[in-house]
Amino acid sequence: MTETSVPVRRPARQLLAASVGNAVEWYDWYAYTFLATYIAGQVFPESSGNSLVPLLSTFAVFAVGFFMRPVGGLLMGAVADRHGRRAALTVTILLMGGSSLLVGLTPTYAAAGVLAPVVLVAARLLQGLSVGGEFAASTTFLVESAGPGRRGLFSSFQYVSTTIGQLTASGVAAALVSNLGEGQMESWGWRVPFLAGAALSLVGFWIRRGAQETLEPTGEHAGRPRPRLLDALRHHPRESLLICGITAGGTIAYYTWTSYLPTYAELNAGIDKADALLAGTLSLGFFALLQPLGGLLSDRFGRKPPLLFFGAGFALLAVPLLHTIGDSFASLLLVQCAGMVLLTGFTSISAAVNAEIFPARVRAAGIGFPYSLTVALFGGTAPYVGTLFTDLDHPGLFPWYVSAVCLVSALVYLRLPETAHQELER
């Protein structure tokens, strides 16, 4: 066995190929979250009795898109295992570009009636399919591109690139909110980031076409049959369940801190919308800088210490941190940065941990389906659950919900075998 399936000649170029496409994918995904309040007013009719109905509907569509991710993880993971990581990565970036264009062209409810939310749902379903496949393929691609003793470092760029996409989305959204009037934002300003995302996807597609394939050939010429769609689930059920346990706490903490916290602060602490976006942007920059450090530490000291740091930290501190948010910009920024430090214990190495569980033959599909299913159940629903608790006049329950899920994952980490210094299985 060797550290990678195929010797990689230019690892820096491999990092660029994975990172650029991943950043474009997640730029679009988070633009939707940051601009949810504007989309809500244009695409969904407001209930005469409750002003939160459009926002709840918008976050419900956000969650619906997540439930296509397991399908994307399974289908695109199978493409990556059968035809190569690069083939899957080029497909996912084109799918994302198409879905981004569709969101940008979604008609308003006033102009098209019920067709408006139908178009938005279709775009989010396509987006979810793409993102589910993106994680499956890019995770395996990144880790297989790493040299000996560098899988954690390479893994960290999964969330470096994701955060670059988020920062770009947040920066664009903040610039639009600051420079356009409320009427302009509501009528056309919210569409600009999605149309730009469609153009950026073509750049990602071009860069990924020049990447080196990391999967050894399979099929008749290699003497091994191509893996079937459900081979990973059929032959590795324990590993599939393990990924669910590893991911549950990480995904709810991640989407709460990086996506929903600005909205949570607006709804529950009265934070100004522009201040909430600025705090989110600054904390994301801090988060991106932490990722390579977390990856390097895990390559030296193992995967379990940072995972336990994250799981136990959020189980104990999620409630006090979320209750600390006041009506000031400084309190929100402090809470966000503190959460980012804890979160790094999971995000910087999750790609490596997942890849080290499965053999190369079924690695992409094996990771893609259980990971994306868990993200859909816990991460994709986090904004909706948090907003729903507020609508039901029980906002204080949401921090306890986050804490409980992280505690479950912390117990899984305790029993997790250490894989940092083992060879990557073929």
Side-chain angles (χ1 to χ4, degrees):
M1 293 192 293
T2 60
E3 284 284 339
T4 57
S5 296
V6 174
V8 174
R9 294 183 299 274
R10 290 178 288 181
R13 183 169 181 175
Q14 299 291 96
L15 281 177
L16 178 63
S19 299
V20 169
N22 200 39
V24 172
E25 295 264 7
W26 289 96
Y27 158 83
D28 188 276
W29 191 261
Y30 282 98
Y32 183 92
T33 303
F34 290 126
L35 298 169
T37 54
Y38 296 105
I39 297 172
Q42 295 298 304
V43 178
F44 295 98
E46 183 174 323
S47 167
S48 58
N50 192 339
S51 62
L52 279 179
V53 167
L55 185 57
L56 279 170
S57 300
T58 307
F59 280 141
V61 175
F62 182 76
V64 165
F66 269 84
F67 280 94
M68 279 300 288
R69 289 180 60 160
V71 179
L74 186 62
L75 294 179
M76 290 295 102
V79 170
D81 290 333
R82 289 174 63 87
H83 303 289
R85 318 309 190 200
R86 188 176 62 179
L89 288 172
T90 53
V91 172
T92 58
I93 195 68
L94 289 178
L95 287 175
M96 179 58 72
S99 65
S100 184
L101 180 63
L102 196 56
V103 172
L105 299 178
T106 297
T108 65
Y109 188 87
V114 72
L115 180 63
V118 168
V119 171
L120 184 63
V121 168
R124 299 306 299 178
L125 291 175
L126 185 61
Q127 208 163 28
L129 183 73
S130 171
V131 172
E134 170 69 17
F135 185 87
S138 64
T139 293
T140 55
F141 181 81
L142 270 174
V143 177
E144 290 171 355
S145 295
R150 286 291 181 264
R151 295 200 300 264
L153 175 62
F154 271 54
S155 169
S156 70
F157 281 88
Q158 182 83 36
Y159 280 91
V160 169
S161 56
T162 296
T163 305
I164 288 172
Q166 289 176 270
L167 280 169
T168 305
S170 177
V172 170
L176 287 170
V177 169
S178 299
N179 293 286
L180 296 179
E182 193 73 10
Q184 292 174 305
M185 279 299 302
E186 291 178 351
S187 62
W188 59 269
W190 64 269
R191 300 179 184 274
V192 173
F194 300 102
L195 298 176
L200 287 173
S201 69
L202 296 178
V203 177
F205 172 76
W206 176 73
I207 291 175
R208 283 184 165 179
R209 289 196 64 186
Q212 179 186 340
E213 180 55 62
T214 62
L215 179 68
E216 288 184 332
T218 60
E220 294 179 354
H221 299 294
R224 292 188 295 174
R226 294 184 188 273
R228 290 174 292 183
L229 185 64
L230 299 177
D231 273 3
L233 288 173
R234 184 181 298 112
H235 300 301
H236 302 276
R238 180 184 176 278
E239 289 83 353
S240 298
L241 288 174
L242 192 59
I243 284 187
C244 293
I246 291 169
T247 305
T251 188
I252 193 170
Y254 178 76
Y255 283 101
T256 297
W257 247 255
T258 64
S259 300
Y260 179 59
L261 207 56
T263 302
Y264 179 87
E266 289 177 46
L267 294 177
N268 298 292
I271 295 285
D272 179 74
K273 185 182 298 183
D275 284 345
L277 285 173
L278 178 59
T281 301
L282 293 175
S283 64
L284 283 171
F286 175 63
F287 180 65
L289 294 175
L290 292 175
Q291 299 311 296
L293 176 61
L296 284 169
L297 288 174
S298 80
D299 282 331
R300 175 145 188 198
F301 299 108
R303 314 295 188 220
K304 290 185 68 172
L307 287 174
L308 288 169
F309 170 74
F310 154 74
F314 260 99
L316 294 172
L317 298 176
V319 174
L321 281 174
L322 290 175
H323 284 165
T324 300
I325 298 175
D327 59 358
S328 70
F329 168 82
S331 70
L332 176 58
L333 181 61
L334 179 63
V335 168
Q336 285 199 286
C337 288
M340 296 305 190
V341 173
L342 294 173
L343 192 55
T344 297
F346 170 80
T347 55
S348 64
I349 60 171
S350 63
V353 172
N354 290 337
E356 288 162 356
I357 290 175
F358 284 94
R361 183 175 179 273
V362 293
R363 182 169 291 137
I367 294 169
F369 181 73
Y371 173 87
S372 296
L373 180 62
T374 308
V375 170
L377 291 173
F378 295 99
T381 58
Y384 183 82
V385 171
T387 307
L388 184 61
F389 278 138
T390 299
D391 187 40
L392 296 174
D393 293 324
H394 294 292
L397 292 179
F398 182 68
W400 287 101
Y401 170 62
V402 174
S403 177
V405 177
C406 290
L407 177 60
V408 172
S409 284
L411 296 176
V412 174
Y413 304 150
L414 277 172
R415 298 183 60 82
L416 196 67
E418 182 57 71
T419 57
H421 307 298
Q422 298 176 7
E423 293 182 344
L424 191 63
E425 188 176 355
R426 284 181 179 269

